Amino acid sequence: MSKPRRIFTDYEMRDGFRYYQERFSQGIKSNVAFIGGSVTTQTWRVLTGQFISQMFPQTEFKFINAGIGGTDANLGAFRFPDHVFGQGQVDLLFLEFAVNGGGIRAMEGIIRQAKRLNPKIDICMLYLADISKMDDVNEGKTPEIVKTHQIVADYYHLPSLFFYREITNRINDGDFTWEQFSRDSVHPTEFGNEVYADCVADFLKEAIKGSSANPDPGDLPPPIDPFCYERGRFIPLEEVKGVKGWERIPQWTTDKTCNFAPPADVLSAEKPDATLELSFYGTAIGIYTLVGMDTGIIEYSIDGAEFKTKDQFDYYCPMFHRPQHTIFADELPMGQHKIILRTGSQKNEKSLGYSTRILKFMAN
């Protein structure tokens, strides 16, 4: 005889979900978004959407998948306005970057953006399971990334769900094995996705009890980090000036890819000494790029300072092209700045070329 399904209770409710029952129960068309890395794109998200739709059958929902594999909260904060609220006002947000990383500066930036765009948004922070977190639990430790994200959850009174502890405890109790739950070190199997979805459903059933009618969201408190990415945004390619050696390719494509489907609109340079400049307002500047086998070193100068270098080639580049990002500076004085970029004449010894392919510029 199989064991009855365990009810998930390993969460901190804090202020809970204060608005979602009121809106969803009235049949008002609503948007629910999920942002994170590759695990966010898995089917637990779809199953969660199905549960919410069954919970509120009178409401028409749009479920937004803003997960991009292999990316962290730093990029997430800059892409947030386009990839999450770009499809309309979001009423409920599931936020998960404890697998791929990102500190207070990024996580707080996402939360403050969300609350400015919709003061009545409900936000839930998820801490998904992986092998390293399971090891931490078994050694009586809290993962450092969870400690960091909990600082933000505590400060903004957001509920947080400790999936990594729940999965570890169930495995230790013999409910299932890691191999049944995950197909590698982090990505859930079909069974694992069902476990995650059941856990979210258990939380939502409890969270609905604490929802209150028309609460006042109040003003945002001062940020924990004054340089948090609360103004994170993309800058379109059209705003570049002084372009030399770069080509706009609206249908760039390649064979071996991961976490994106070509074609893509890029600003591309494949030879050394290609230059461009961009004026921007804020405290941070970076680029959202596609990196791969021929990715090179980028050189940059901000506000006339001496050029610095950034090698964009990493461990995964020889395998495929994929989206990544580089932040050149994020503690600039608030104000108007100018950055000059150029492709380097040197390259990583493992790279096949000198290329940089920019999808968007990023500023805060």
Side-chain angles (χ1 to χ4, degrees):
M1 182 175 180
S2 61
K3 294 182 180 180
R5 185 175 79 80
R6 286 171 61 157
I7 302 300
F8 173 65
T9 60
D10 194 358
Y11 48 78
E12 293 183 17
M13 186 65 74
R14 298 189 179 89
D15 282 357
F17 283 179
R18 305 182 67 198
Y19 311 105
Y20 93 115
Q21 179 189 17
E22 175 196 3
R23 181 178 180 86
F24 294 175
S25 62
Q26 291 177 6
I28 302 171
K29 187 175 180 180
S30 300
N31 294 336
V32 178
F34 302 77
I35 186 169
S38 58
V39 183
T40 299
T41 69
Q42 305 292 301
T43 55
W44 70 268
R45 171 185 48 80
V46 177
L47 296 172
T48 296
Q50 292 173 354
F51 174 79
I52 293 173
S53 294
Q54 292 167 2
M55 205 173 183
F56 301 97
Q58 70 276 32
T59 302
E60 179 183 350
F61 290 99
K62 178 192 287 185
F63 296 100
I64 299 167
N65 173 17
I68 299 180
T71 65
D72 61 19
N74 295 297
L75 174 61
F78 291 93
R79 65 184 181 87
F80 187 82
D82 284 8
H83 290 182
V84 179
F85 273 78
Q87 300 188 50
Q89 175 179 289
V90 172
D91 306 291
L92 175 58
L93 175 68
F94 292 93
L95 172 59
E96 202 293 321
F97 281 110
V99 170
N100 286 0
I104 290 174
R105 186 163 293 183
M107 294 294 287
E108 181 177 36
I110 291 172
I111 290 163
R112 292 179 73 86
Q113 285 190 57
K115 287 181 171 291
R116 285 214 172 95
L117 291 165
N118 178 13
K120 289 192 171 185
I121 191 172
D122 279 316
I123 303 173
C124 180
M125 294 178 63
L126 312 177
Y127 307 134
L128 301 180
D130 58 49
I131 288 291
S132 66
K133 291 186 180 64
M134 187 165 68
D135 290 341
D136 283 338
V137 173
N138 288 329
E139 293 173 9
K141 300 176 182 177
T142 299
E144 290 300 319
I145 190 67
V146 174
K147 290 180 183 177
T148 298
H149 290 191
Q150 280 288 86
I151 292 172
V152 181
D154 283 335
Y155 189 73
Y156 291 96
H157 308 289
L158 304 178
S160 49
L161 280 58
F162 298 89
F163 287 155
Y164 73 95
R165 291 196 309 225
E166 181 74 11
I167 300 307
T168 302
N169 290 334
R170 293 190 188 189
I171 289 173
N172 290 343
D173 290 345
D175 289 9
F176 48 80
T177 66
W178 178 260
E179 290 70 26
Q180 290 173 309
F181 176 80
S182 174
R183 64 180 188 268
D184 47 34
S185 64
V186 63
H187 298 95
T189 59
E190 181 179 353
F191 169 77
N193 277 289
E194 292 173 356
V195 173
Y196 274 154
D198 285 342
C199 289
V200 177
D202 290 342
F203 168 77
L204 290 174
K205 292 174 188 175
E206 192 65 26
I208 199 171
K209 300 175 184 178
S211 296
S212 55
N214 297 311
D216 181 4
D219 296 328
L220 280 173
I224 302 169
D225 182 345
F227 289 102
C228 76
Y229 302 145
E230 61 181 314
R231 297 170 299 277
R233 65 196 185 278
F234 282 154
I235 298 178
L237 301 176
E238 289 77 11
E239 294 194 22
V240 298
K241 307 290 183 183
V243 177
K244 175 187 173 185
W246 295 81
E247 180 185 5
R248 183 73 175 269
I249 306 177
Q251 295 288 313
W252 184 82
T253 188
T254 188
D255 293 331
K256 296 180 180 179
T257 66
C258 182
N259 298 325
F260 95 101
D265 181 10
V266 298
L267 185 61
S268 175
E270 298 184 2
K271 297 180 180 180
D273 298 321
T275 60
L276 60 80
E277 63 181 58
L278 175 74
S279 295
F280 66 96
Y281 186 87
T283 62
I285 186 65
I287 50 175
Y288 179 36
T289 56
L290 293 175
V291 299
M293 304 81 170
D294 62 346
T295 294
I297 292 172
I298 195 78
E299 301 175 346
Y300 63 98
S301 169
I302 299 175
D303 296 336
E306 186 174 327
F307 274 87
K308 299 179 180 180
T309 63
K310 173 66 177 178
D311 188 354
Q312 304 172 90
F313 196 88
D314 62 23
Y315 173 82
Y316 295 101
C317 283
M319 305 176 198
F320 35 65
H321 281 85
R322 74 191 202 284
Q324 276 300 297
H325 73 284
T326 297
I327 298 174
F328 300 114
D330 61 0
E331 293 188 3
L332 298 170
M334 176 61 74
Q336 195 70 31
H337 302 278
K338 182 172 77 172
I339 186 170
I340 298 174
L341 295 183
R342 72 185 179 205
T343 49
S345 57
Q346 304 294 317
K347 69 179 182 67
N348 189 296
E349 62 181 10
K350 297 180 181 179
S351 177
L352 300 179
Y354 303 86
S355 299
T356 295
R357 297 182 179 92
I358 301 175
L359 293 163
K360 301 282 185 181
F361 292 88
M362 312 187 315
N364 177 52

